[in-house]
Amino acid sequence: VVDTNGSGHGALAGVLNALNADGRRFGAKITLSDKTEITDGFYSIDITSSANNDTEKMQLGTAIATQVTVNMEEPTSVIYNKEFLLSLGIYIDDTTIEYVPMGYFKAQKPTVQAGKMTFTALDRMARLNGNYSSLLSYPCDIADVVKEIQTMTGVPIEIPGHMVINKRVESDDGTTITYCNPFEGYTYKETLAIIASYYGRFVTVDRTGKVVFRDYRSRDYQITADRSLEDISVSNEIFNLGYIKCTVDNDLILKSGNGATGVTISCFMHTQDTLDNLYDSLKELSYYPASVSFLGDFRLDIGDMVTVITLDGTGIILPIMGMNIEFDGGLTSRIYSYGETSETAEQQSPTEKAISRLYQQLAVVENLIATKSVTIGQVGTTNLLDDSLTLINDDYTIEIIE
C-alpha cells in the first residue's frame, strides 16, 4: 500500500483526508516519454491486476501483466505503441489535485469512433515474453541470471540474493556429470516465475516500472463497512497453508507440511531442506477466500493483506490476489483472495508447460497456412496482429505471402 503519511509516492498533503471525505472527486493523467501530459478528456479507466491466473486457488510463482483499458476523447498526441506513466489523483480542495503514479504501460492499437478513443495497455511484464537464450556459463549465481534478463530486455528488475544454480546432468553410465542451462526453452517471464517460486513469491511490476518479487504482507489498513458498496462475499471455509508441494522435475515431487489444503509450485531449485524452510516461513498464512467492492483507493497494491470489516463488525483478513480499479470521475475498487479448501490437481511440470506452449504455437501456424489469413485476437500466449503472426515466445514473425 502506498504511504500517505511518510515517504513514498503517497506522501502528499491532504490525500488521506480527501480519500476519507464525502463528495470525492478524482482525476487522471497520462505522461508520455517526451513529458507531454494529458489530464482532460477521460471517460473511464479500468485497471486489472492479479497475482493469480487461476481464480479458484492460491498460487505462488506467477508472473502476470497488469492491464489498463482507457476510454477518452481522441487526443492530439499519438499514444499508440508508446509507453506512458498513468497516474490517478484526488482533489484535496476545489482546484488542487494530487496525483499518485499507478505504473508504466504501453498502449496497444486503439479503436476510434466519433472522436472517442478506446485502447488497452499492458505494463512492462509484456516485454518479458521473448525466449531467454542465456549466454552464462553454468553453474552460476541466480543474481547473474536476473541481471542478464535485465540487460537483454531493458526492463529494470529487482536483483535477488546470491545463490548458486547448479542443475546437474548425469551420463547414462553414471560416470560423467555435467551442468546444463536449466532455463533452456523458457521465456524471460517464465524464468523469473521459477525464481519467484523458490522464494515463495510472485512476480509483478511496481509503480515505478520495476519488476519485483513480491510476497503477501500484513498492512495497517481497514475497509470499514461504511466504505463497502456491498457486504463482503466470503467462503464458508477457511484456507490454511497446510503444505507446499513442489514439482522439481518429471520424476521428483517434494512436499513439506501435512495439512489438507496448500499450494503447488514448480521449481527445479528446491531440495527437501529448502522447501521445508520455505514452508516454515509461510505456514501461518490463513484467510477466507473472499471479495469485496468498496469506495476506491488507488494506494492499494497486489500482495497487501488488509482487514475488511463486515456489517456485523467481524474483521476478515483478505490478502489481495486480484484487484480491479474503475475510474469515471469517481473511483471504485474490488479486491479478491483465492484458495481451494480441498486437494487439487497437480501443477504442470516445466516440461509439460513447454510442450503445451509448443502445441499452441504449432496449432496457430497450421491454421495460418491452411487459411492464408490472420484473425485479430489471442490464442493462449500467442498474439495475432494485423497481417503477420508474431509468436511472442519465439523472436520471429511469419508473414503471409500470396
Side-chain angles (χ1 to χ4, degrees):
V1 64
V2 174
D3 180 17
T4 52
N5 295 310
S7 61
H9 297 304
L12 305 169
V15 170
L16 181 58
N17 289 337
L19 284 169
N20 291 326
D22 295 329
R24 308 185 314 168
R25 293 169 54 218
F26 293 88
K29 178 170 66 175
I30 284 177
T31 306
L32 301 176
S33 59
D34 63 1
K35 306 304 180 182
T36 298
E37 293 185 349
I38 303 172
T39 57
D40 298 315
F42 295 104
Y43 297 112
S44 66
I45 299 175
D46 295 338
I47 306 172
T48 301
S49 52
S50 182
N52 280 49
N53 51 33
D54 187 324
T55 58
E56 297 297 327
K57 57 187 177 184
M58 180 188 177
Q59 292 180 296
L60 299 172
T62 58
I64 302 172
T66 293
Q67 177 174 297
V68 172
T69 302
V70 179
N71 184 14
M72 62 185 298
E73 293 178 2
E74 185 177 7
T76 56
S77 300
V78 176
I79 295 179
Y80 171 52
N81 212 31
K82 304 291 186 181
E83 186 176 72
F84 60 86
L85 172 63
L86 174 65
S87 301
L88 294 180
I90 187 167
Y91 282 87
I92 60 174
D93 57 38
D94 289 341
T95 59
T96 306
I97 184 170
E98 296 281 14
Y99 289 101
V100 170
M102 304 304 293
Y104 286 85
F105 302 89
K106 189 173 184 178
Q108 300 184 6
K109 191 171 184 178
T111 59
V112 180
Q113 185 174 6
K116 294 182 179 180
M117 183 173 75
T118 300
F119 66 90
T120 59
L122 299 174
D123 68 13
R124 289 176 175 173
M125 190 75 73
R127 291 166 56 182
L128 301 175
N129 285 315
N131 270 350
Y132 175 36
S133 299
S134 178
L135 302 177
L136 298 172
S137 296
Y138 290 84
C140 72
D141 194 297
I142 194 171
D144 292 330
V145 171
V146 176
K147 289 176 183 177
E148 184 180 50
I149 292 176
Q150 181 174 246
T151 299
M152 288 179 166
T153 62
V155 177
I157 306 174
E158 175 187 5
I159 307 300
H162 296 286
M163 186 192 73
V164 175
I165 300 174
N166 56 352
K167 187 172 183 181
R168 309 195 312 171
V169 178
E170 186 174 313
S171 62
D172 292 339
D173 59 8
T175 60
T176 305
I177 293 177
T178 58
Y179 294 91
C180 68
N181 172 8
F183 302 112
E184 185 71 34
Y186 289 95
T187 65
Y188 302 114
K189 183 171 67 176
E190 289 168 339
T191 299
L192 295 177
I194 291 171
I195 294 171
S197 293
Y198 181 79
Y199 293 107
R201 300 185 179 189
F202 59 92
V203 187
T204 190
V205 183
D206 69 14
R207 295 166 185 262
T208 69
K210 186 176 185 178
V211 175
V212 295
F213 301 95
R214 187 174 291 170
D215 56 7
Y216 293 100
R217 296 191 178 183
S218 296
R219 306 296 183 185
D220 183 17
Y221 186 97
Q222 285 191 350
I223 300 171
T224 54
D226 61 326
R227 291 179 55 205
S228 299
L229 301 178
E230 59 189 18
D231 199 13
I232 185 172
S233 173
V234 60
S235 170
N236 292 325
E237 298 182 60
I238 197 169
F239 173 86
N240 296 303
L241 189 61
Y243 67 83
I244 300 177
K245 192 179 293 184
C246 178
T247 300
V248 177
D249 55 37
N250 291 331
D251 301 315
L252 179 61
I253 296 177
L254 303 175
K255 184 178 181 181
S256 185
N258 295 305
T261 57
V263 63
T264 299
I265 63 176
S266 179
C267 179
F268 68 86
M269 294 183 286
H270 269 302
T271 64
Q272 189 62 59
D273 286 343
T274 61
L275 191 65
D276 288 343
N277 290 336
L278 177 61
Y279 175 67
D280 284 343
S281 69
L282 298 176
K283 64 184 179 182
E284 300 302 322
L285 185 61
S286 179
Y287 61 90
Y288 285 93
S291 66
V292 65
S293 179
F294 58 100
L295 296 176
D297 190 336
F298 45 54
R299 299 173 299 157
L300 291 175
D301 290 313
I302 292 291
D304 290 340
M305 294 181 67
V306 302
T307 302
V308 181
I309 308 301
T310 65
L311 293 178
D312 64 8
T314 304
I316 302 292
I317 301 297
L318 194 156
I320 303 179
M321 300 177 178
M323 180 165 60
N324 300 110
I325 297 175
E326 298 181 2
F327 160 78
D328 58 1
L331 197 75
T332 59
S333 299
R334 177 175 286 274
I335 55 177
Y336 305 83
S337 61
Y338 311 111
E340 283 192 334
T341 54
S342 60
E343 196 76 33
T344 61
E346 298 293 340
Q347 181 168 311
Q348 282 185 310
S349 71
T351 301
E352 290 171 328
K353 289 180 179 178
I355 292 174
S356 175
R357 183 171 66 249
L358 177 61
Y359 274 116
Q360 286 179 344
Q361 295 176 348
L362 288 176
V364 174
V365 173
E366 184 179 55
N367 180 67
L368 177 62
I369 293 172
T371 62
K372 292 186 179 180
S373 64
V374 174
T375 302
I376 297 175
Q378 279 196 336
V379 178
T381 56
T382 302
N383 273 7
L384 301 178
L385 301 173
D386 303 326
D387 294 323
S388 65
L389 171 65
T390 302
L391 301 182
I392 290 181
N393 290 327
D394 299 292
D395 296 327
Y396 58 84
T397 301
I398 297 175
E399 301 287 348
I400 302 173
I401 300 176
E402 295 293 347

